[in-house]
C-alpha cells in the first residue's frame, strides 16, 4: 500500500526533469503528462494536521494553463481513490500497527495564474443515462438486450475453453460449453445460464458494473496473452439486462474461486445488493430476469428461438431454450448455422485473419444508400460517390480467393497479387 501511494505522490520535476522534457519535446497527450509535473513545487508531500492528528497529502505549486491544470485535478481524483482504498484495506487487519492514519482527500494548494477553476463538475444522472441507453434509443429494439447478454456468455465460454486447454495437468477434461435460456412461467423468471469462466468480484466491480468499460479491452485481459479476442466491446454491462427486465439477479462463480457471488439490482436504483454464497456447479454465470416483461418483448418461446437463430452463427457452443409451464418442461436447441451455410459458396478465412479487424465507418449523415449492411453485396467491390450519394461498383478484375487456398495457406503469384488489395 505504501509503495502504491508513494508512486502516486512521486509527481514533480524530480520524476520528469525539465532538461529531458526539452530534449524530447513531447506533443499532445504526452505533453500534458509531462507538464503536470512542473506545476508541483514540493517534494515532501506528507504533513500532520495539528487539529486532527492525521497525516495528510498536500500539493503546492503554480499552474498557468487550464489544460494542464484540469489534467492535474484528474490526477488528484485518482490519488483520492487510492487513498480511500488503502485506508479501507488497512482497517481490515487485526493488528493496529498496519492502520494508515491518513486523510483520504488530498490538500490542493496549487495556485492558478490568469484563470480560475470552478468547483462545478460535469455530473451524470443515473436514471437519465440508463433510460438513454435502453431499447429504442440506441439499439432500435429492447430485443437486442438478449443479444448483448448472449454474446457475453459466448465470450465467457470461449475464454473458458482456452483456460481449460492451458491448465496443464490441472486442466478441466472434456470441457463442453453450453448456454441455456430457461423460460419459467411458473416461477415468473427467465434465466440465461452459461458454464463459461465466470467473474471475480474485481471483474464485477471494475467492468460489469462500470458502464463504458469493457473487460475484454482492458489490460487485465489483454496482458494474459490469450488467442481469443471476444466480440463484446462496448462494456454496457448490466444495462443490457434492463432492456429486458426491471429487476435483475446475477449469480457468478469464477473458475478459480471457492464461492459464488450474487448481486441483485433494480433499474430505478443505483444501489446493488452483493453477497457470497455456496454453489455446486464448478463455474459460470446465471442472469435471472422477470418473465412478464421479457416474454412481452418476444411474445413466446418461438420468438426467442427465432431471434437467436437470426442473430448468431454456430460457434460450437449449443444454445438451448427450456420452457417450463404448469410443471411441464420442454427443451429445444437453436439451429445455428455456420457462415458457409448462410452464404452459399463462401469460405471461412479464420485461419488467415488472426489479429485483423474489419469495419464500415460512415461519418456523413447524408449517406442513405442502404438501409442495412445486408443491402451491400459481399461479392462486389464498391466505392461511395459523395456527389451522387450512390454506391458504384468498382471496375476491376475480381478473382475467387478459393482458387488460391491450398491447405492452410493462400498462395498467390505476382500477377494475382496485383489484383488483390
Amino acid at each position: 500500500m505504501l509503495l502504491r501511494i508513494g508512486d502516486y505522490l512521486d509527481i514533480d520535476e524530480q520524476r520528469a526533469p525539465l532538461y529531458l522534457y526539452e530534449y524530447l519535446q513531447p506533443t499532445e497527450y504526452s505533453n500534458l503528462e509531462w507538464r503536470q509535473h512542473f506545476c508541483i513545487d514540493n517534494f515532501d508531500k506528507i504533513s500532520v494536521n495539528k487539529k486532527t492528528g492525521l497525516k495528510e497529502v498536500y500539493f503546492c505549486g503554480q499552474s498557468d494553463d487550464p489544460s494542464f491544470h484540469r489534467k492535474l485535478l484528474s490526477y488528484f481524483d485518482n490519488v483520492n481513490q487510492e487513498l480511500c482504498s488503502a485506508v479501507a484495506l488497512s482497517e481490515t487487519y487485526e493488528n493496529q500497527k498496519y492502520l494508515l492514519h491518513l486523510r483520504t482527500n488530498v490538500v490542493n494548494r496549487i495556485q492558478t495564474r490568469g484563470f480560475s477553476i470552478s468547483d462545478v463538475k460535469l455530473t451524470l444522472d443515473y436514471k437519465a443515462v440508463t433510460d438513454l441507453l435502453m431499447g429504442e434509443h440506441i439499439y432500435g429494439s429492447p430485443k437486442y438486450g438478449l443479444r448483448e447478454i448472449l454474446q457475453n456468455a459466448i465470450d465467457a465460454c470461449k475464454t473458458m475453453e482456452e483456460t481449460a486447454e492451458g491448465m496443464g495437468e490441472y486442466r478441466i477434461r472434456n470441457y463442453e460449453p453450453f448456454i441455456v435460456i430457461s423460460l419459467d412461467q411458473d416461477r415468473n423468471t427467465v434465466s440465461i445460464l452459461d458454464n463459461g469462466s465466470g467473474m471475480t468480484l474485481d471483474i464485477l466491480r471494475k467492468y460489469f458494473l462500470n458502464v463504458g468499460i469493457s473487460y475484454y479491452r482492458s489490460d487485465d485481459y489483454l496482458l494474459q496473452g490469450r488467442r481469443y479476442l471476444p466480440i463484446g466491446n462496448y462494456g454496457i454491462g448490466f444495462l443490457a439486462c434492463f432492456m429486458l427486465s426491471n429487476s435483475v439477479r446475477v449469480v457468478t462463480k469464477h473458475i478459480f474461486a471457492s464461492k459464488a457471488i450474487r448481486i441483485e439490482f433494480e433499474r430505478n436504483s443505483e444501489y446493488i445488493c452483493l453477497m457470497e454464497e455456496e454453489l455446486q456447479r464448478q463455474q459460470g454465470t446465471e442472469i435471472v430476469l422477470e418473465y412478464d416483461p421479457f416474454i412481452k418483448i418476444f411474445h413466446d418461446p418461438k420468438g426467442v428461438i427465432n431471434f437467436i437463430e437470426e442473430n448468431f452463427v454456430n460457434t460450437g457452443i449449443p444454445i438451448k431454450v427450456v420452457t417450463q409451464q404448469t410443471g411441464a418442461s420442454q427443451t429445444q436447441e437453436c439451429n445455428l448455422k455456420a457462415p458457409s451455410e448462410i452464404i452459399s459458396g463462401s469460405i471461412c478465412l479464420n485461419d488467415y485473419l488472426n489479429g485483423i479487424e474489419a469495419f464500415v465507418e460512415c461519418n456523413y449523415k447524408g449517406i442513405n444508400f442502404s438501409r442495412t449492411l445486408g443491402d451491400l453485396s459481399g461479392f462486389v467491390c464498391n466505392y461511395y460517390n459523395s456527389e451522387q450519394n450512390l454506391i458504384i461498383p468498382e471496375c476491376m478484375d475480381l478473382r475467387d480467393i478459393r482458387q488460391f487456398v491450398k491447405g492452410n495457406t493462400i498462395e498467390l503469384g505476382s500477377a494475382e497479387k496485383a489484383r488483390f488489395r
Side-chain angles (χ1 to χ4, degrees):
M1 291 185 289
L2 294 178
L3 285 173
R4 285 179 62 87
I5 294 173
D7 187 52
Y8 267 104
L9 302 190
D10 188 17
I11 175 173
D12 48 51
E13 193 177 335
Q14 286 185 330
R15 183 164 187 165
L18 180 59
Y19 71 87
L20 192 57
Y21 168 80
E22 294 175 343
Y23 174 77
L24 295 174
Q25 296 183 354
T27 60
E28 299 179 356
Y29 189 82
S30 294
N31 185 43
L32 290 175
E33 284 288 328
W34 277 83
R35 289 290 297 271
Q36 67 177 353
H37 288 71
F38 304 144
C39 300
I40 309 297
D41 290 341
N42 59 315
F43 300 140
D44 183 4
K45 301 179 180 68
I46 304 292
S47 64
V48 178
N49 188 305
K50 296 181 180 179
K51 291 184 179 180
T52 64
L54 292 175
K55 293 181 180 178
E56 56 187 20
V57 177
Y58 71 100
F59 295 91
C60 298
Q62 292 184 338
S63 178
D64 56 7
D65 189 295
S67 298
F68 306 143
H69 196 75
R70 281 194 293 267
K71 184 74 172 59
L72 194 59
L73 294 179
S74 296
Y75 191 87
F76 291 166
D77 288 338
N78 293 334
V79 176
N80 290 338
Q81 293 177 11
E82 187 65 34
L83 292 175
C84 287
S85 299
V87 171
L89 181 59
S90 73
E91 292 174 350
T92 64
Y93 293 101
E94 294 184 6
N95 195 324
Q96 293 189 2
K97 72 176 184 178
Y98 296 119
L99 286 177
L100 291 177
H101 300 280
L102 272 173
R103 176 180 171 180
T104 54
N105 286 341
V106 303
V107 179
N108 179 9
R109 299 174 185 166
I110 305 295
Q111 301 294 320
T112 60
R113 295 191 302 181
F115 67 95
S116 62
I117 291 290
S118 171
D119 58 357
V120 177
K121 297 175 67 176
L122 177 65
T123 59
L124 300 176
D125 181 84
Y126 170 82
K127 186 177 184 304
V129 170
T130 54
D131 289 343
L132 177 65
L133 293 177
M134 293 302 97
E136 290 80 2
H137 294 292
I138 290 181
Y139 290 88
S141 170
K143 288 183 179 181
Y144 293 108
L146 179 60
R147 185 185 64 184
E148 297 292 329
I149 295 173
L150 286 177
Q151 186 58 60
N152 286 336
I154 292 172
D155 289 339
C157 288
K158 283 296 186 181
T159 55
M160 184 61 211
E161 280 184 326
E162 192 172 344
T163 299
E165 293 173 2
M167 292 179 67
E169 59 181 306
Y170 302 104
R171 67 180 181 273
I172 301 173
R173 300 186 183 277
N174 302 321
Y175 169 70
E176 296 181 357
F178 66 80
I179 299 172
V180 176
I181 302 173
S182 178
L183 308 175
D184 193 336
Q185 186 177 12
D186 298 337
R187 297 183 180 181
N188 195 33
T189 61
V190 172
S191 72
I192 300 97
L193 172 67
D194 68 71
N195 66 336
S197 52
M199 292 180 283
T200 63
L201 181 59
D202 190 54
I203 293 175
L204 277 170
R205 284 177 170 170
K206 292 171 63 176
Y207 304 104
F208 184 76
L209 298 174
N210 201 340
V211 179
I213 300 179
S214 170
Y215 169 64
Y216 295 120
R217 293 297 182 268
S218 71
D219 288 344
D220 288 342
Y221 180 82
L222 296 176
L223 293 179
Q224 294 177 29
R226 291 180 175 269
R227 299 188 308 273
Y228 179 66
L229 183 62
I231 294 176
N233 184 21
Y234 298 106
I236 68 169
F238 67 98
L239 289 184
C241 304
F242 289 149
M243 299 170 71
L244 307 166
S245 177
N246 291 320
S247 63
V248 181
R249 180 171 76 249
V250 178
V251 181
T252 183
K253 185 179 181 183
H254 191 262
I255 175 60
F256 299 123
S258 58
K259 291 185 178 181
I261 301 171
R262 173 175 173 169
I263 58 175
E264 297 178 356
F265 42 90
E266 296 179 352
R267 177 169 182 160
N268 294 324
S269 176
E270 57 197 289
Y271 297 102
I272 292 171
C273 176
L274 185 149
M275 64 199 80
E276 287 187 331
E277 63 179 36
E278 299 291 341
L279 195 64
Q280 294 301 318
R281 66 174 181 267
Q282 198 163 22
Q283 83 285 324
T285 299
E286 181 181 24
I287 295 179
V288 182
L289 312 172
E290 298 171 287
Y291 180 87
D292 289 339
F294 182 93
I295 209 67
K296 184 178 180 181
I297 295 171
F298 292 96
H299 304 299
D300 52 40
K302 185 62 178 176
V304 176
I305 294 172
N306 289 340
F307 177 82
I308 295 172
E309 292 178 348
E310 291 173 359
N311 286 273
F312 290 91
V313 297
N314 190 344
T315 61
I317 303 173
I319 301 178
K320 297 180 180 180
V321 176
V322 179
T323 304
Q324 294 175 314
Q325 185 176 3
T326 61
S329 178
Q330 183 179 359
T331 302
Q332 182 174 349
E333 184 170 335
C334 296
N335 181 24
L336 302 179
K337 297 180 179 179
S340 58
E341 298 178 82
I342 299 173
I343 305 175
S344 60
S346 63
I347 179 173
C348 182
L349 296 177
N350 285 355
D351 294 335
Y352 317 102
L353 300 177
N354 284 340
I356 295 177
E357 295 184 2
F359 64 94
V360 176
E361 182 177 3
C362 300
N363 292 324
Y364 176 51
K365 294 182 179 179
I367 293 177
N368 55 12
F369 54 78
S370 65
R371 294 182 61 84
T372 67
L373 290 178
D375 296 337
L376 303 178
S377 170
F379 302 99
V380 179
C381 186
N382 303 287
Y383 73 92
Y384 174 64
N385 185 310
S386 59
E387 295 180 357
Q388 301 179 31
N389 196 30
L390 293 173
I391 282 287
I392 301 175
E394 185 175 17
C395 296
M396 60 183 297
D397 183 13
L398 295 175
R399 297 293 184 92
D400 190 338
I401 197 171
R402 289 173 297 178
Q403 300 175 10
F404 307 100
V405 174
K406 297 180 180 180
N408 288 324
T409 60
I410 298 178
E411 298 181 1
L412 300 177
S414 58
E416 285 81 11
K417 288 180 181 179
R419 294 184 174 94
F420 287 92
R421 59 181 179 179

